[in-house]
Amino acid sequence: MASLFSLDEHVVLITGASRGLGLAMASAMAEAGALVVLNGRDPTTLEQAASGLRARGLKAETAPFDVSDFAASAREVAAIAARHGRLDTVVLNAGVNFRKPLLEWETEDFRRVLDINLTGCFVLAREAARAMIPRGSGRIIFTGSVMGIVARPTVHAYAAAKAGLAGMAKTLAVELAPKGITVNTICPGFFDTEMNTPLMQNPEFDAWMKSRCPLGRWARPEELGGAAVYLASRAGSYVTGAMLVVDGGLTINM
Ligand SMILES: NC(=O)c1ccc[n+]([C@@H]2O[C@H](COP(=O)([O-])OP(=O)(O)OC[C@H]3O[C@@H](n4cnc5c(N)ncnc54)[C@H](OP(=O)(O)O)[C@@H]3O)[C@@H](O)[C@H]2O)c1
């Protein structure tokens, strides 16, 4: 049974993996046997994260770059695939969120969120596919959000990007299926990460979230790890174009 979820010999790139959900998914995938390449912008925090994994006997490297630098993204994906002779899975997870009432939104800020959360994922998916197609196999996993399915005020660019990712995952899934590549979107609900610190520290929001979510609590980052292992492993071989919602029941609750 263990081999169904094994990632032995797999090489996996995870963007936005210096902390939060990216690091939690990297940790779970490394525990399943993968060599994980952690990405983020800050080389120091990235190296600390990788050393933490290596101290547990896991295989981890770093690839610092900004996912909105599209040339750097293409270069780094090619370099990882060349260095290891394979790139089995990419988890395109790096993301930012700005929360502002509509009339305070600058167009440039909207564009910046889309560059990181959507266009950057498109470029990385394309470059990963370039490395995966010759081997006839690969897994592309996007971190979407429940905010691509349901709505709250102020997060206009974020919601546009996350809904866009889920849509793009489906077109990529149908185009890349004949090449042996699956493409899926994991949609997390509300997790206890740095991105949500302002929400968790807001007593009103905290109470609303706990009453709205059937499981009645914020999720722990490690509770997303299994979803990434599933979609990257043999267990997920027939799953493509799917949105895997991990939200404690938030979006199905009337
Ligand atoms: N937390 C939640 O409840 C939740 C819910 C739904 C979806 N998500 C999604 O899950 C993903 C991770 O969220 P999180 O909560 O773990 O956020 P987080 O704690 O703020 O971590 C974000 C990660 O992305 C990296 N990053 C940010 N901008 C980057 C860029 N331009 N290039 C490369 N790396 C970049 C950060 O490292 P550096 O700052 O060093 O670059 C960090 O490693 C995001 O896509 C987010 O939208 C989160």
Side-chain angles (χ1 to χ4, degrees), residues 25-39:
M25 289 189 280
S27 170
M29 295 174 98
E31 277 174 13
L35 182 156
V36 293
V37 183
L38 310 183
N39 156 266

Side-chain angles (χ1 to χ4, degrees), residues 15-23 25 39-43 45-46 63-69 92-97 112 115-117 121 143-147 158 162 165 186-196 199 218-219 221 224:
T15 65
S18 59
R19 59 174 188 265
L21 303 187
L23 180 55
M25 289 189 280
N39 156 266
R41 287 165 303 181
D42 177 21
T45 52
L46 211 50
F65 63 92
D66 186 327
V67 298
S68 64
D69 178 342
L92 304 177
N93 164 81
V96 294
N97 196 0
R112 172 96 189 117
D115 271 357
I116 296 169
N117 292 14
C121 292
T143 304
S145 171
V146 294
M147 223 43 71
Y158 185 83
K162 296 301 187 182
L165 272 184
I186 297 174
C187 299
F190 288 100
F191 280 69
D192 175 0
T193 68
E194 202 170 304
M195 180 177 277
N196 283 337
L199 302 181
W218 294 80
L224 203 63

Side-chain angles (χ1 to χ4, degrees), residues 133-149:
I133 287 169
R135 297 187 68 237
S137 71
R139 306 284 170 92
I140 297 172
I141 302 168
F142 295 119
T143 304
S145 171
V146 294
M147 223 43 71
I149 305 170

